[in-house]
Amino acid sequence: MTARTLAVTSGKGGVGKTFVTANLAAALAARGHRVLVLDADLGLANLDVVLNLHPKLTLHDVFTEKCTLEQAILPAPGGFSVLLAGSGMVEYSRLTPDVREKLLAIIEQVKPRFDWVLIDTGAGISDVVLYAVSLAADVLVVATPEPTSLTDAYATIKVLATTQQRKSVGLVLNQANRPGEGKVVCGQLQAVLARFAPAQGAFRLDLWGEIPNDQAVRQAVLKRQLLLELNPGSNAALGLKHLAQTIVGV
C-alpha cells in the first residue's frame, strides 16, 4: 500500500492555496487517514507560518544531508505530519537535476508511510511548480472568483493538460460569494478549455468543492490556527470537510 498523492496548486498567489492544503489535511486526518503535507513551494514557503510552527529542521536540511528525512517530518496541529521547506530554499527555486532527483526520492520514501501525501506547490507555471505537480497522481487547482485568479487558473490548467497529458484536474473555488458559484465557474473554465484546446477533448475539469467567503477564515489566518480547530462549525470549515469527503471518493 502506498499513499495517494495530491498536488495542490494555483495559477496565482494569494488565493488561499496553503490555507486550503493545511485544513484539507486536518479534515482528512479527522477521517482517520495518515496524512503528510510536503511544502514544495521552495522559493516562498509559508506553511510554517500558517501552522505557527518554528521548525529546527526542514527540507533544506534534508537536501543538504544535515539531517535524515525522518528527523525533518514533524507533527502538526490537526493530527497530520508536515515536511516544511523553511526559509533556506531560495537556491532550490530553480529546477536543476539535483532538485528533480531529491524531490522525487523524498516522495518515493514517504509514500509507503502515509495514506495521503499532499504536495503544496508554489503558484504559477514555473519549472519547479510543474515538476512538483508531475510527482502527484491527482491535482487540485485552487482559485477565487476574481477575474485575474480565473485567468491564471485557466492558464495553469491548460499547461497541465497539454504538457502532462492529464485527463482530469480537480477545482476548488475559494472565497465563493454565493452557493453554486463554483459550479458556474467550473463550467465557464471547461467551456474555454474546450474552445482553445480542442486537442485535449478528453480532458475534464471536475469541481471538487467550494469554500464560502467567511470572516472566520480571516480570524484563523491572523491567529495562525487551523480553521477546522478554531471554528469547525463555520461555513468555510464545512466546505473544507465536504472537499475532503469528495476527494476521498474520487
Side-chain angles (χ1 to χ4, degrees), residues 65-135:
E65 298 182 358
K66 292 178 181 175
C67 74
T68 65
L69 179 59
E70 288 70 24
Q71 290 172 319
I73 294 176
L74 307 173
F80 58 95
S81 300
V82 289
L83 182 51
L84 299 168
S87 57
M89 299 295 288
V90 176
E91 64 265 40
Y92 296 109
S93 58
R94 291 185 302 108
L95 185 62
T96 63
D98 188 46
V99 171
R100 277 179 176 268
E101 183 181 313
K102 287 176 176 174
L103 269 179
L104 177 60
I106 284 171
I107 295 290
E108 291 305 314
Q109 285 180 65
V110 298
K111 276 165 65 175
R113 298 173 49 188
F114 294 91
D115 301 312
W116 287 88
V117 174
L118 306 185
I119 304 172
D120 185 29
T121 80
I125 51 175
S126 71
D127 287 347
V128 173
V129 172
L130 292 177
Y131 181 68
V133 171
S134 77
L135 297 175

Short mmCIF file of all heavy atoms in Angstrom, two decimals, residues 65-135:
data_model
loop_
_atom_site.label_atom_id
_atom_site.label_comp_id
_atom_site.label_asym_id
_atom_site.label_seq_id
_atom_site.Cartn_x
_atom_site.Cartn_y
_atom_site.Cartn_z
N GLU A 65 21.68 17.15 3.44
CA GLU A 65 22.12 15.99 4.23
C GLU A 65 22.60 16.36 5.63
O GLU A 65 23.47 15.71 6.20
CB GLU A 65 23.19 15.20 3.46
CG GLU A 65 22.67 14.65 2.14
CD GLU A 65 23.71 13.83 1.39
OE1 GLU A 65 24.84 13.71 1.90
OE2 GLU A 65 23.38 13.31 0.31
N LYS A 66 22.01 17.41 6.19
CA LYS A 66 22.30 17.78 7.57
C LYS A 66 21.44 17.00 8.56
O LYS A 66 21.71 17.01 9.76
CB LYS A 66 22.11 19.28 7.77
CG LYS A 66 23.14 20.12 7.03
CD LYS A 66 22.88 21.60 7.23
CE LYS A 66 23.90 22.44 6.44
NZ LYS A 66 23.60 23.88 6.54
N CYS A 67 20.37 16.38 8.03
CA CYS A 67 19.53 15.53 8.88
C CYS A 67 18.86 14.49 8.00
O CYS A 67 18.88 14.59 6.76
CB CYS A 67 18.48 16.35 9.63
SG CYS A 67 17.12 16.94 8.60
N THR A 68 18.26 13.50 8.62
CA THR A 68 17.53 12.49 7.86
C THR A 68 16.12 12.97 7.56
O THR A 68 15.62 13.91 8.19
CB THR A 68 17.45 11.17 8.65
OG1 THR A 68 16.64 11.40 9.82
CG2 THR A 68 18.83 10.67 9.06
N LEU A 69 15.49 12.31 6.62
CA LEU A 69 14.10 12.64 6.29
C LEU A 69 13.20 12.46 7.51
O LEU A 69 12.33 13.29 7.78
CB LEU A 69 13.64 11.74 5.14
CG LEU A 69 12.20 11.91 4.66
CD1 LEU A 69 11.94 13.34 4.19
CD2 LEU A 69 11.89 10.93 3.53
N GLU A 70 13.42 11.39 8.26
CA GLU A 70 12.59 11.11 9.44
C GLU A 70 12.70 12.24 10.47
O GLU A 70 11.71 12.60 11.11
CB GLU A 70 13.02 9.78 10.08
CG GLU A 70 12.63 8.55 9.30
CD GLU A 70 13.42 8.38 8.00
OE1 GLU A 70 14.55 8.93 7.91
OE2 GLU A 70 12.90 7.73 7.07
N GLN A 71 13.88 12.80 10.62
CA GLN A 71 14.07 13.87 11.59
C GLN A 71 13.34 15.16 11.19
O GLN A 71 12.97 15.96 12.05
CB GLN A 71 15.57 14.16 11.77
CG GLN A 71 16.33 13.06 12.48
CD GLN A 71 17.84 13.29 12.46
OE1 GLN A 71 18.39 13.71 11.45
NE2 GLN A 71 18.49 13.01 13.58
N ALA A 72 13.15 15.36 9.90
CA ALA A 72 12.54 16.61 9.41
C ALA A 72 11.02 16.54 9.33
O ALA A 72 10.36 17.57 9.17
CB ALA A 72 13.11 16.97 8.04
N ILE A 73 10.46 15.34 9.43
CA ILE A 73 9.00 15.20 9.41
C ILE A 73 8.46 15.50 10.81
O ILE A 73 8.83 14.85 11.77
CB ILE A 73 8.56 13.80 8.94
CG1 ILE A 73 8.96 13.60 7.47
CG2 ILE A 73 7.06 13.61 9.11
CD1 ILE A 73 8.68 12.21 6.93
N LEU A 74 7.59 16.50 10.89
CA LEU A 74 7.12 16.99 12.19
C LEU A 74 5.61 16.80 12.35
O LEU A 74 4.87 16.84 11.37
CB LEU A 74 7.42 18.50 12.32
CG LEU A 74 8.86 18.95 12.07
CD1 LEU A 74 8.92 20.46 12.08
CD2 LEU A 74 9.78 18.36 13.12
N PRO A 75 5.15 16.62 13.59
CA PRO A 75 3.71 16.62 13.82
C PRO A 75 3.17 18.04 13.72
O PRO A 75 3.82 19.00 14.14
CB PRO A 75 3.59 16.08 15.25
CG PRO A 75 4.89 16.42 15.90
CD PRO A 75 5.93 16.37 14.82
N ALA A 76 1.98 18.18 13.15
CA ALA A 76 1.36 19.49 13.00
C ALA A 76 0.04 19.53 13.76
O ALA A 76 -0.55 18.48 14.03
CB ALA A 76 1.11 19.79 11.52
N PRO A 77 -0.44 20.70 14.10
CA PRO A 77 -1.79 20.80 14.64
C PRO A 77 -2.78 20.18 13.64
O PRO A 77 -2.57 20.28 12.43
CB PRO A 77 -2.02 22.31 14.76
CG PRO A 77 -0.66 22.91 14.76
CD PRO A 77 0.20 22.02 13.94
N GLY A 78 -3.80 19.53 14.14
CA GLY A 78 -4.76 18.92 13.23
C GLY A 78 -4.53 17.44 13.02
O GLY A 78 -5.28 16.79 12.30
N GLY A 79 -3.46 16.89 13.62
CA GLY A 79 -3.27 15.45 13.57
C GLY A 79 -2.60 14.91 12.34
O GLY A 79 -2.66 13.72 12.07
N PHE A 80 -1.93 15.76 11.56
CA PHE A 80 -1.19 15.30 10.39
C PHE A 80 0.29 15.63 10.54
O PHE A 80 0.70 16.26 11.52
CB PHE A 80 -1.76 15.88 9.09
CG PHE A 80 -1.78 17.39 9.03
CD1 PHE A 80 -0.74 18.10 8.44
CD2 PHE A 80 -2.86 18.11 9.54
CE1 PHE A 80 -0.75 19.48 8.37
CE2 PHE A 80 -2.89 19.50 9.50
CZ PHE A 80 -1.84 20.19 8.91
N SER A 81 1.10 15.19 9.59
CA SER A 81 2.53 15.44 9.61
C SER A 81 2.91 16.44 8.52
O SER A 81 2.20 16.57 7.51
CB SER A 81 3.30 14.13 9.39
OG SER A 81 3.00 13.19 10.40
N VAL A 82 4.02 17.13 8.73
CA VAL A 82 4.48 18.10 7.75
C VAL A 82 5.97 17.94 7.49
O VAL A 82 6.74 17.54 8.38
CB VAL A 82 4.21 19.56 8.17
CG1 VAL A 82 2.74 19.88 8.13
CG2 VAL A 82 4.78 19.86 9.55
N LEU A 83 6.35 18.27 6.27
CA LEU A 83 7.76 18.38 5.90
C LEU A 83 7.90 19.79 5.33
O LEU A 83 7.48 20.06 4.20
CB LEU A 83 8.15 17.32 4.87
CG LEU A 83 9.61 17.27 4.41
CD1 LEU A 83 10.56 17.22 5.61
CD2 LEU A 83 9.85 16.09 3.49
N LEU A 84 8.43 20.69 6.14
CA LEU A 84 8.44 22.12 5.81
C LEU A 84 9.65 22.49 4.98
O LEU A 84 10.74 21.93 5.16
CB LEU A 84 8.42 22.95 7.10
CG LEU A 84 7.18 22.73 7.99
CD1 LEU A 84 7.39 23.36 9.35
CD2 LEU A 84 5.94 23.28 7.32
N ALA A 85 9.46 23.43 4.09
CA ALA A 85 10.57 23.86 3.23
C ALA A 85 11.52 24.79 3.97
O ALA A 85 12.72 24.77 3.76
CB ALA A 85 10.03 24.54 1.97
N GLY A 86 10.99 25.64 4.84
CA GLY A 86 11.85 26.57 5.57
C GLY A 86 12.29 27.73 4.70
O GLY A 86 11.90 27.85 3.53
N SER A 87 13.12 28.58 5.26
CA SER A 87 13.48 29.82 4.57
C SER A 87 14.78 29.72 3.78
O SER A 87 15.18 30.66 3.12
CB SER A 87 13.61 30.95 5.59
OG SER A 87 14.57 30.61 6.58
N GLY A 88 15.44 28.58 3.85
CA GLY A 88 16.74 28.45 3.20
C GLY A 88 16.67 27.80 1.84
O GLY A 88 17.66 27.28 1.34
N MET A 89 15.47 27.82 1.20
CA MET A 89 15.29 27.04 -0.03
C MET A 89 15.36 27.89 -1.31
O MET A 89 15.08 27.39 -2.38
CB MET A 89 13.94 26.33 0.02
CG MET A 89 13.80 25.34 1.18
SD MET A 89 14.94 23.95 1.04
CE MET A 89 14.21 23.06 -0.32
N VAL A 90 15.70 29.16 -1.19
CA VAL A 90 15.69 30.03 -2.37
C VAL A 90 16.59 29.47 -3.46
O VAL A 90 16.28 29.53 -4.65
CB VAL A 90 16.11 31.47 -2.00
CG1 VAL A 90 16.19 32.33 -3.25
CG2 VAL A 90 15.14 32.07 -1.00
N GLU A 91 17.73 28.90 -3.05
CA GLU A 91 18.65 28.34 -4.05
C GLU A 91 18.07 27.14 -4.78
O GLU A 91 18.58 26.72 -5.80
CB GLU A 91 19.99 27.95 -3.39
CG GLU A 91 19.89 26.84 -2.37
CD GLU A 91 19.73 27.34 -0.94
OE1 GLU A 91 19.01 28.32 -0.73
OE2 GLU A 91 20.35 26.75 -0.04
N TYR A 92 16.97 26.59 -4.25
CA TYR A 92 16.31 25.45 -4.90
C TYR A 92 15.08 25.87 -5.71
O TYR A 92 14.32 25.03 -6.13
CB TYR A 92 15.90 24.41 -3.85
CG TYR A 92 17.07 23.78 -3.13
CD1 TYR A 92 17.33 24.08 -1.81
CD2 TYR A 92 17.92 22.90 -3.79
CE1 TYR A 92 18.41 23.52 -1.14
CE2 TYR A 92 19.00 22.34 -3.14
CZ TYR A 92 19.24 22.64 -1.81
OH TYR A 92 20.31 22.08 -1.17
N SER A 93 14.87 27.17 -5.86
CA SER A 93 13.67 27.63 -6.57
C SER A 93 13.80 27.50 -8.09
O SER A 93 12.87 27.80 -8.83
CB SER A 93 13.34 29.08 -6.19
OG SER A 93 14.43 29.94 -6.49
N ARG A 94 14.97 27.08 -8.56
CA ARG A 94 15.13 26.73 -9.98
C ARG A 94 15.21 25.22 -10.10
O ARG A 94 15.78 24.54 -9.24
CB ARG A 94 16.40 27.37 -10.56
CG ARG A 94 16.36 28.87 -10.69
CD ARG A 94 17.62 29.40 -11.37
NE ARG A 94 18.83 29.02 -10.65
CZ ARG A 94 19.70 28.12 -11.08
NH1 ARG A 94 19.49 27.47 -12.23
NH2 ARG A 94 20.78 27.84 -10.38
N LEU A 95 14.66 24.70 -11.18
CA LEU A 95 14.63 23.24 -11.36
C LEU A 95 15.96 22.77 -11.96
O LEU A 95 16.20 22.92 -13.14
CB LEU A 95 13.46 22.84 -12.27
CG LEU A 95 13.26 21.34 -12.42
CD1 LEU A 95 12.95 20.69 -11.08
CD2 LEU A 95 12.15 21.04 -13.41
N THR A 96 16.78 22.20 -11.10
CA THR A 96 18.04 21.62 -11.55
C THR A 96 17.91 20.10 -11.46
O THR A 96 17.00 19.58 -10.80
CB THR A 96 19.19 22.09 -10.63
OG1 THR A 96 18.93 21.59 -9.30
CG2 THR A 96 19.28 23.61 -10.59
N PRO A 97 18.81 19.36 -12.10
CA PRO A 97 18.77 17.90 -11.97
C PRO A 97 18.82 17.46 -10.50
O PRO A 97 18.20 16.47 -10.12
CB PRO A 97 20.01 17.45 -12.74
CG PRO A 97 20.21 18.52 -13.77
CD PRO A 97 19.81 19.80 -13.10
N ASP A 98 19.56 18.21 -9.68
CA ASP A 98 19.68 17.88 -8.26
C ASP A 98 18.33 18.00 -7.55
O ASP A 98 17.94 17.14 -6.76
CB ASP A 98 20.71 18.81 -7.61
CG ASP A 98 21.03 18.39 -6.18
OD1 ASP A 98 21.26 17.19 -5.96
OD2 ASP A 98 21.05 19.26 -5.30
N VAL A 99 17.61 19.10 -7.83
CA VAL A 99 16.29 19.31 -7.22
C VAL A 99 15.32 18.23 -7.68
O VAL A 99 14.56 17.67 -6.87
CB VAL A 99 15.74 20.72 -7.57
CG1 VAL A 99 14.29 20.86 -7.13
CG2 VAL A 99 16.59 21.80 -6.91
N ARG A 100 15.34 17.92 -8.96
CA ARG A 100 14.48 16.85 -9.50
C ARG A 100 14.70 15.54 -8.75
O ARG A 100 13.76 14.91 -8.27
CB ARG A 100 14.82 16.60 -10.98
CG ARG A 100 14.16 17.53 -11.97
CD ARG A 100 14.63 17.15 -13.37
NE ARG A 100 13.98 17.94 -14.38
CZ ARG A 100 12.86 17.60 -14.99
NH1 ARG A 100 12.26 16.47 -14.68
NH2 ARG A 100 12.33 18.37 -15.91
N GLU A 101 15.95 15.17 -8.65
CA GLU A 101 16.32 13.89 -8.06
C GLU A 101 15.91 13.82 -6.59
O GLU A 101 15.35 12.82 -6.13
CB GLU A 101 17.83 13.69 -8.22
CG GLU A 101 18.36 12.37 -7.70
CD GLU A 101 19.87 12.28 -7.87
OE1 GLU A 101 20.37 12.60 -8.98
OE2 GLU A 101 20.53 11.91 -6.90
N LYS A 102 16.17 14.89 -5.85
CA LYS A 102 15.90 14.88 -4.42
C LYS A 102 14.41 14.92 -4.10
O LYS A 102 13.94 14.23 -3.18
CB LYS A 102 16.64 16.04 -3.75
CG LYS A 102 18.14 15.80 -3.68
CD LYS A 102 18.90 16.96 -3.11
CE LYS A 102 20.39 16.60 -2.97
NZ LYS A 102 21.20 17.75 -2.55
N LEU A 103 13.65 15.72 -4.85
CA LEU A 103 12.20 15.76 -4.62
C LEU A 103 11.56 14.41 -4.91
O LEU A 103 10.73 13.92 -4.14
CB LEU A 103 11.55 16.84 -5.50
CG LEU A 103 11.41 18.24 -4.90
CD1 LEU A 103 10.77 19.18 -5.91
CD2 LEU A 103 10.59 18.22 -3.62
N LEU A 104 11.95 13.81 -6.02
CA LEU A 104 11.40 12.51 -6.39
C LEU A 104 11.75 11.46 -5.33
O LEU A 104 10.89 10.67 -4.92
CB LEU A 104 11.95 12.07 -7.75
CG LEU A 104 11.53 10.68 -8.23
CD1 LEU A 104 10.02 10.59 -8.37
CD2 LEU A 104 12.21 10.34 -9.56
N ALA A 105 12.99 11.47 -4.85
CA ALA A 105 13.42 10.49 -3.85
C ALA A 105 12.63 10.65 -2.56
O ALA A 105 12.23 9.65 -1.94
CB ALA A 105 14.92 10.65 -3.57
N ILE A 106 12.36 11.89 -2.17
CA ILE A 106 11.61 12.13 -0.93
C ILE A 106 10.18 11.63 -1.07
O ILE A 106 9.65 10.96 -0.17
CB ILE A 106 11.66 13.63 -0.57
CG1 ILE A 106 13.03 13.95 0.02
CG2 ILE A 106 10.55 13.99 0.41
CD1 ILE A 106 13.29 15.41 0.22
N ILE A 107 9.54 11.92 -2.19
CA ILE A 107 8.16 11.45 -2.41
C ILE A 107 8.10 9.93 -2.34
O ILE A 107 7.22 9.35 -1.69
CB ILE A 107 7.62 11.94 -3.77
CG1 ILE A 107 7.50 13.46 -3.80
CG2 ILE A 107 6.27 11.30 -4.08
CD1 ILE A 107 6.41 14.02 -2.94
N GLU A 108 9.04 9.28 -2.99
CA GLU A 108 9.05 7.81 -3.00
C GLU A 108 9.29 7.23 -1.60
O GLU A 108 8.73 6.19 -1.26
CB GLU A 108 10.11 7.30 -3.99
CG GLU A 108 9.78 7.57 -5.44
CD GLU A 108 8.43 7.02 -5.85
OE1 GLU A 108 8.13 5.86 -5.52
OE2 GLU A 108 7.65 7.76 -6.48
N GLN A 109 10.09 7.91 -0.81
CA GLN A 109 10.37 7.42 0.55
C GLN A 109 9.18 7.56 1.49
O GLN A 109 8.98 6.71 2.37
CB GLN A 109 11.57 8.17 1.14
CG GLN A 109 12.92 7.75 0.56
CD GLN A 109 14.06 8.53 1.20
OE1 GLN A 109 14.31 8.42 2.39
NE2 GLN A 109 14.71 9.36 0.41
N VAL A 110 8.40 8.63 1.33
CA VAL A 110 7.30 8.85 2.28
C VAL A 110 6.01 8.13 1.90
O VAL A 110 5.17 7.87 2.76
CB VAL A 110 7.01 10.37 2.47
CG1 VAL A 110 8.22 11.08 3.05
CG2 VAL A 110 6.55 11.03 1.18
N LYS A 111 5.86 7.78 0.64
CA LYS A 111 4.59 7.18 0.19
C LYS A 111 4.19 5.92 0.96
O LYS A 111 3.01 5.75 1.27
CB LYS A 111 4.65 6.91 -1.32
CG LYS A 111 4.30 8.14 -2.15
CD LYS A 111 4.69 7.99 -3.61
CE LYS A 111 3.95 6.92 -4.32
NZ LYS A 111 4.26 6.89 -5.77
N PRO A 112 5.10 5.01 1.27
CA PRO A 112 4.66 3.81 1.99
C PRO A 112 4.20 4.06 3.42
O PRO A 112 3.58 3.21 4.03
CB PRO A 112 5.92 2.92 1.98
CG PRO A 112 6.80 3.48 0.93
CD PRO A 112 6.53 4.93 0.91
N ARG A 113 4.51 5.22 3.97
CA ARG A 113 4.25 5.50 5.38
C ARG A 113 2.94 6.24 5.64
O ARG A 113 2.54 6.39 6.80
CB ARG A 113 5.41 6.31 5.97
CG ARG A 113 6.73 5.58 5.92
CD ARG A 113 7.88 6.47 6.34
NE ARG A 113 7.61 7.18 7.59
CZ ARG A 113 8.40 8.13 8.07
NH1 ARG A 113 9.51 8.45 7.42
NH2 ARG A 113 8.11 8.74 9.19
N PHE A 114 2.30 6.73 4.58
CA PHE A 114 1.10 7.55 4.75
C PHE A 114 -0.01 7.09 3.81
O PHE A 114 0.24 6.39 2.84
CB PHE A 114 1.43 9.03 4.47
CG PHE A 114 2.38 9.63 5.47
CD1 PHE A 114 3.75 9.60 5.24
CD2 PHE A 114 1.92 10.19 6.65
CE1 PHE A 114 4.64 10.14 6.16
CE2 PHE A 114 2.79 10.73 7.58
CZ PHE A 114 4.16 10.70 7.33
N ASP A 115 -1.23 7.50 4.14
CA ASP A 115 -2.37 7.25 3.26
C ASP A 115 -2.48 8.35 2.20
O ASP A 115 -2.93 8.09 1.08
CB ASP A 115 -3.67 7.20 4.07
CG ASP A 115 -3.64 6.12 5.14
OD1 ASP A 115 -3.25 4.99 4.81
OD2 ASP A 115 -3.98 6.41 6.30
N TRP A 116 -2.09 9.56 2.60
CA TRP A 116 -2.15 10.71 1.70
C TRP A 116 -0.86 11.51 1.80
O TRP A 116 -0.37 11.76 2.90
CB TRP A 116 -3.31 11.64 2.06
CG TRP A 116 -4.67 11.11 1.71
CD1 TRP A 116 -5.48 10.32 2.48
CD2 TRP A 116 -5.37 11.33 0.49
NE1 TRP A 116 -6.63 10.03 1.81
CE2 TRP A 116 -6.60 10.64 0.59
CE3 TRP A 116 -5.08 12.04 -0.69
CZ2 TRP A 116 -7.54 10.63 -0.44
CZ3 TRP A 116 -6.02 12.04 -1.71
CH2 TRP A 116 -7.23 11.34 -1.58
N VAL A 117 -0.33 11.93 0.66
CA VAL A 117 0.74 12.93 0.62
C VAL A 117 0.22 14.11 -0.18
O VAL A 117 -0.07 14.00 -1.38
CB VAL A 117 2.03 12.37 -0.03
CG1 VAL A 117 3.07 13.50 -0.16
CG2 VAL A 117 2.60 11.23 0.80
N LEU A 118 0.03 15.23 0.51
CA LEU A 118 -0.41 16.46 -0.14
C LEU A 118 0.81 17.31 -0.45
O LEU A 118 1.59 17.63 0.46
CB LEU A 118 -1.39 17.24 0.75
CG LEU A 118 -2.62 16.50 1.28
CD1 LEU A 118 -3.53 17.46 2.04
CD2 LEU A 118 -3.38 15.81 0.15
N ILE A 119 1.00 17.67 -1.70
CA ILE A 119 2.15 18.47 -2.12
C ILE A 119 1.67 19.91 -2.31
O ILE A 119 0.92 20.20 -3.25
CB ILE A 119 2.76 17.92 -3.42
CG1 ILE A 119 3.14 16.45 -3.26
CG2 ILE A 119 3.99 18.74 -3.82
CD1 ILE A 119 3.58 15.77 -4.56
N ASP A 120 2.07 20.77 -1.41
CA ASP A 120 1.70 22.19 -1.50
C ASP A 120 2.72 22.88 -2.40
O ASP A 120 3.82 23.20 -1.97
CB ASP A 120 1.68 22.80 -0.10
CG ASP A 120 1.19 24.24 -0.10
OD1 ASP A 120 0.39 24.59 -0.99
OD2 ASP A 120 1.61 25.02 0.77
N THR A 121 2.35 23.10 -3.65
CA THR A 121 3.29 23.66 -4.62
C THR A 121 3.30 25.18 -4.54
O THR A 121 2.49 25.79 -3.85
CB THR A 121 2.92 23.25 -6.06
OG1 THR A 121 1.86 24.10 -6.53
CG2 THR A 121 2.52 21.80 -6.15
N GLY A 122 4.23 25.77 -5.28
CA GLY A 122 4.19 27.21 -5.46
C GLY A 122 3.06 27.58 -6.42
O GLY A 122 2.37 26.71 -6.96
N ALA A 123 2.86 28.87 -6.62
CA ALA A 123 1.85 29.34 -7.57
C ALA A 123 2.49 29.55 -8.94
O ALA A 123 3.69 29.77 -9.06
CB ALA A 123 1.23 30.64 -7.07
N GLY A 124 1.64 29.48 -9.98
CA GLY A 124 2.13 29.75 -11.33
C GLY A 124 2.58 28.50 -12.07
O GLY A 124 2.26 27.38 -11.67
N ILE A 125 3.34 28.73 -13.13
CA ILE A 125 3.72 27.61 -14.00
C ILE A 125 5.24 27.57 -14.22
O ILE A 125 5.72 27.28 -15.31
CB ILE A 125 2.99 27.69 -15.36
CG1 ILE A 125 3.14 29.08 -16.00
CG2 ILE A 125 1.52 27.34 -15.19
CD1 ILE A 125 2.54 29.19 -17.39
N SER A 126 6.00 27.85 -13.16
CA SER A 126 7.45 27.72 -13.27
C SER A 126 7.82 26.25 -13.38
O SER A 126 7.02 25.36 -13.10
CB SER A 126 8.12 28.32 -12.02
OG SER A 126 7.88 27.50 -10.89
N ASP A 127 9.06 26.01 -13.76
CA ASP A 127 9.53 24.62 -13.91
C ASP A 127 9.42 23.84 -12.61
O ASP A 127 9.05 22.66 -12.61
CB ASP A 127 11.00 24.62 -14.38
CG ASP A 127 11.13 25.03 -15.84
OD1 ASP A 127 10.10 25.07 -16.53
OD2 ASP A 127 12.26 25.31 -16.28
N VAL A 128 9.77 24.49 -11.49
CA VAL A 128 9.72 23.80 -10.20
C VAL A 128 8.28 23.42 -9.84
O VAL A 128 8.01 22.31 -9.39
CB VAL A 128 10.34 24.67 -9.08
CG1 VAL A 128 10.13 24.02 -7.72
CG2 VAL A 128 11.83 24.86 -9.32
N VAL A 129 7.35 24.36 -10.06
CA VAL A 129 5.93 24.08 -9.76
C VAL A 129 5.42 22.94 -10.61
O VAL A 129 4.81 21.98 -10.10
CB VAL A 129 5.07 25.34 -9.98
CG1 VAL A 129 3.58 24.98 -9.87
CG2 VAL A 129 5.42 26.42 -8.97
N LEU A 130 5.68 23.00 -11.90
CA LEU A 130 5.17 21.96 -12.80
C LEU A 130 5.80 20.60 -12.49
O LEU A 130 5.12 19.57 -12.58
CB LEU A 130 5.43 22.34 -14.26
CG LEU A 130 4.62 23.53 -14.77
CD1 LEU A 130 5.00 23.87 -16.21
CD2 LEU A 130 3.11 23.25 -14.70
N TYR A 131 7.06 20.60 -12.10
CA TYR A 131 7.68 19.32 -11.74
C TYR A 131 7.07 18.78 -10.46
O TYR A 131 6.79 17.57 -10.37
CB TYR A 131 9.20 19.48 -11.59
CG TYR A 131 9.86 18.16 -11.24
CD1 TYR A 131 9.90 17.13 -12.17
CD2 TYR A 131 10.40 17.95 -9.99
CE1 TYR A 131 10.48 15.90 -11.85
CE2 TYR A 131 10.98 16.72 -9.67
CZ TYR A 131 11.01 15.71 -10.61
OH TYR A 131 11.57 14.49 -10.29
N ALA A 132 6.87 19.62 -9.47
CA ALA A 132 6.25 19.17 -8.22
C ALA A 132 4.85 18.60 -8.49
O ALA A 132 4.48 17.56 -7.94
CB ALA A 132 6.16 20.33 -7.22
N VAL A 133 4.10 19.25 -9.36
CA VAL A 133 2.77 18.75 -9.72
C VAL A 133 2.87 17.40 -10.42
O VAL A 133 2.07 16.49 -10.18
CB VAL A 133 2.02 19.77 -10.62
CG1 VAL A 133 0.74 19.16 -11.17
CG2 VAL A 133 1.71 21.04 -9.85
N SER A 134 3.89 17.24 -11.25
CA SER A 134 4.04 16.00 -12.01
C SER A 134 4.28 14.79 -11.11
O SER A 134 4.06 13.65 -11.53
CB SER A 134 5.18 16.12 -13.03
OG SER A 134 6.45 16.01 -12.40
N LEU A 135 4.72 15.03 -9.88
CA LEU A 135 5.01 13.93 -8.96
C LEU A 135 3.74 13.38 -8.31
O LEU A 135 3.80 12.37 -7.62
CB LEU A 135 5.97 14.42 -7.86
CG LEU A 135 7.36 14.86 -8.34
CD1 LEU A 135 8.17 15.43 -7.18
CD2 LEU A 135 8.10 13.69 -8.99
#
